[in-house]
Each structure stands twice: as structure tokens, then as C-alpha cells.
Amino acid sequence: MRLTLDALAVIDAIDSHGSFAAAAEALHRVPSAITYTVQKIEQDLDVQLFDRSKHRAQLTPAGVKLLTEGRHLLHAATDLEALVKRVASGWETELRIAVGDLVPIARLYPVIEAFYAAGHATRIRISREVFGGTWDALVGGRAELVVGASGDDHPYGGYTTATLGRVPFVFVVAPHHPLARVPEPLAEAEIIKHRAVAAADSSRHLPPRTSSLAGTQDVLTVPDMESKCEAHRRGLGVGYIPRHYVTADLKTGRLLARQVSNELHAPLISLAWREGAEGRALAWFTERLRRRDWLEGIVD
């Protein structure tokens, strides 16, 4: 007899219930079947798994090792059964969600908590994308759902979108930056004399994009919006930031909002997924996220 999941289940039952007879009752088998299974394993492996000299069946060191490792296999088999049932019922094994950097990822956590609380076992994988990287993640197959995709400029055909709203931006400078002392509104000719801070587009396949940058302007490029905010606080450069990212900084004076002659048009963000995509987890999240209550204070 090769070592099987059934044999491991028998050993597990004996250890859990304390005797061969109790294991037989728990597994709805006759005691002789339990005894035969254990004896056959011991013969095949040429080891003694149980010390039968005491009132309670106790595992030998070899038996303890076998059961310890065997329980990993039993749990994996149980998980596999559940996985197959989920797939058969339309629930994805995994749902990959790409989140644009205009949306704080923490805003999604209450939604994910509700998903888990409802008993859904689909694994959720969150990734951060910047600028056009949201669409690139969908086009390149890195995500099944995009949250915060650019709604003003996207690939045509093959995608479904649901508008979330427009994100207001504010032009900010550190209090000690030279532009903090220039009369408002700031002219573009004055702004381009100073370094800008930009978050790098995370696109891998689509052409990367930039926003509100003059070709001759010095630029400090950082990986994401959080890094961009910190660079602004240190006076390393100037530029636009989503208002909700710097609300506290504006209240404390750590950053100053400055009016400019050419204000940035508030970008539109959306949910996006492949047209015709099926999957109950995808449907659950798209329905829940369309309510927009989780976006309070972020979009107009």
C-alpha cells in the first residue's frame, strides 16, 4: 500500500480520538479496517507508528513526524477540494485588482473586509499602478479589475468602465520654497523655472505619459504619489497633488496651496474591466465599488 490521504486521515483520527476504536467510530468504519490500515502502512514503511503498550494509542517519534507532515497534505487536499468547488460555482481562484495612485489603497480595505465577511474565499491580490499603468495592467493581463483608471484617456474597444468621479488637484509648494513668495496667480513662465516633482508612469507596454510638465522644466521623478507628497513637503520641487492627499498638510501649513494661471482640469477616474469578463468575485467588487461611498472626500 502506498501512503495515501485516506491512510493519513486514519492516523490523524487515531491521534485525535485516542484509540483505534474511537477512530473507527469517528470514520464510520469497523475497528478491524482501522487496524489493517495502520499495519499495512507500518509494513510498507518498515516503521512502527504507534506504541500499543499503553491504554491510549500513542504515536512513536516516527509516527509524530509522519502525522505532522501528513497534516499539511490533508489540509492542502481540503483546500484543493474547496478550490475546485469554488471554480465550478463561478468564483475565481484569485482576483487581481490594480489600484491607481489617485486612490489610497486603504480605502478598499473596508470593501475587502465585507467580501471576506460574506464568506467568499477568492484570493485577492492588490497592486499599485501609476498614471497610465492602470490601463496597462488591464491590457497586459496583470489585473482583472482596475480601480481609479484614467477616464479621460484609455484604450478603445474591449473594456467596460464605470465612472467614479473627478479628483480635484491642488498646486502645492513648501513654505520655504521660492514660489511661496511669488504673487498669485503663478504664471507658467515662472513655474517652469523651478523643479517639478512627478510620479513615474508604471506602464510596461503602453507608452508612458506625463502631466502638466513643460519640456524644458527640471523634473524629479519618484515612484508613486506618496513619495511625491513627501518630496513636495521637503521643498524638492513643485506641482499638483490630489487634494485629499494633502488636506492635513494644508491645514497645518506644512504645504501651501497656490493659485496658478492655468489650473489643472480635475481628472476623471473609473472602474475598468474586460468586456464580457465573467466571475462572481469580479461581479461582486464592481457592484460594490460602484456605490462610491468608499470614495467620500476623494472625488467630486
Side-chain angles (χ1 to χ4, degrees):
M1 175 190 292
R2 291 181 178 274
L3 190 59
T4 64
L5 292 175
D6 181 72
L8 291 172
V10 167
I11 298 172
D12 180 54
I14 296 171
D15 180 66
S16 299
H17 297 280
S19 70
F20 283 45
E25 182 177 356
L27 296 175
H28 306 290
R29 303 183 188 181
V30 296
S32 59
I34 300 298
T35 301
Y36 173 79
T37 298
V38 174
Q39 289 177 343
K40 193 66 173 71
I41 298 172
E42 290 179 330
Q43 291 174 6
D44 290 346
L45 299 181
D46 194 25
V47 296
Q48 185 177 352
L49 299 177
F50 287 95
D51 181 355
R52 299 171 176 80
S53 64
K54 299 181 176 60
H55 174 70
R56 177 184 173 91
Q58 292 185 341
L59 288 166
T60 63
V64 170
K65 183 63 175 177
L66 176 65
L67 182 55
T68 299
E69 299 301 324
R71 277 175 172 156
H72 295 310
L73 296 177
L74 290 173
H75 292 155
T78 300
D79 291 342
L80 179 59
E81 290 178 1
L83 172 61
V84 170
K85 290 178 180 178
R86 287 200 305 273
V87 171
S89 65
W91 289 96
E92 304 92 319
T93 303
E94 180 178 78
L95 180 66
R96 296 171 299 174
I97 303 175
V99 183
D101 71 336
L102 301 189
V103 177
I105 289 178
R107 288 298 188 97
L108 290 179
Y109 290 160
V111 178
I112 295 173
E113 287 174 352
F115 181 79
Y116 290 148
H120 306 311
T122 297
R123 297 187 183 97
I124 304 301
R125 182 184 295 270
I126 304 292
S127 64
R128 171 61 94 194
E129 298 292 342
V130 180
F131 212 7
T134 52
W135 282 106
D136 187 86
L138 195 58
V139 173
R142 300 197 306 277
E144 289 78 43
L145 174 63
V146 172
V147 179
S150 170
D152 294 322
D153 184 16
H154 59 81
Y156 290 98
Y159 305 99
T160 301
T161 61
T163 299
L164 294 175
R166 292 194 176 274
V167 180
F169 273 61
V170 58
F171 189 90
V172 297
V173 301
H176 57 278
H177 191 277
L179 283 181
R181 297 182 294 276
V182 175
E184 298 175 289
L186 303 180
E188 183 177 354
E190 184 65 34
I191 293 174
I192 63 175
K193 297 177 183 178
H194 303 272
R195 184 184 307 108
V197 182
D201 190 308
S202 61
S203 295
R204 302 179 189 178
H205 306 287
L206 298 177
R209 296 178 292 160
T210 58
S211 176
S212 302
L213 295 176
T216 58
Q217 189 174 15
D218 184 22
V219 180
L220 168 63
T221 302
V222 294
D224 50 40
M225 193 59 68
E226 288 81 2
S227 303
K228 179 172 160 63
C229 289
E230 183 59 27
H232 281 282
R233 295 181 189 115
R234 293 177 177 272
L236 296 177
V238 299
Y240 288 95
I241 293 283
R243 181 176 290 276
H244 62 270
Y245 268 105
V246 292
T247 300
D249 294 295
L250 296 175
K251 287 182 178 179
T252 61
R254 193 175 183 188
L255 286 173
L256 302 179
R258 304 288 283 161
Q259 292 183 348
V260 298
S261 56
N262 296 317
E263 291 287 352
L264 178 69
H265 181 58
L268 185 71
I269 61 171
S270 304
L271 299 176
W273 61 97
R274 289 187 179 276
E275 190 174 282
E278 298 180 354
R280 296 178 68 179
L282 175 62
W284 189 98
F285 272 95
T286 55
E287 188 280 328
R288 178 63 183 82
L289 292 172
R290 285 189 203 204
R291 300 179 195 174
R292 303 201 306 174
D293 56 316
W294 59 279
L295 279 171
E296 183 178 358
I298 293 179
V299 299
D300 287 339

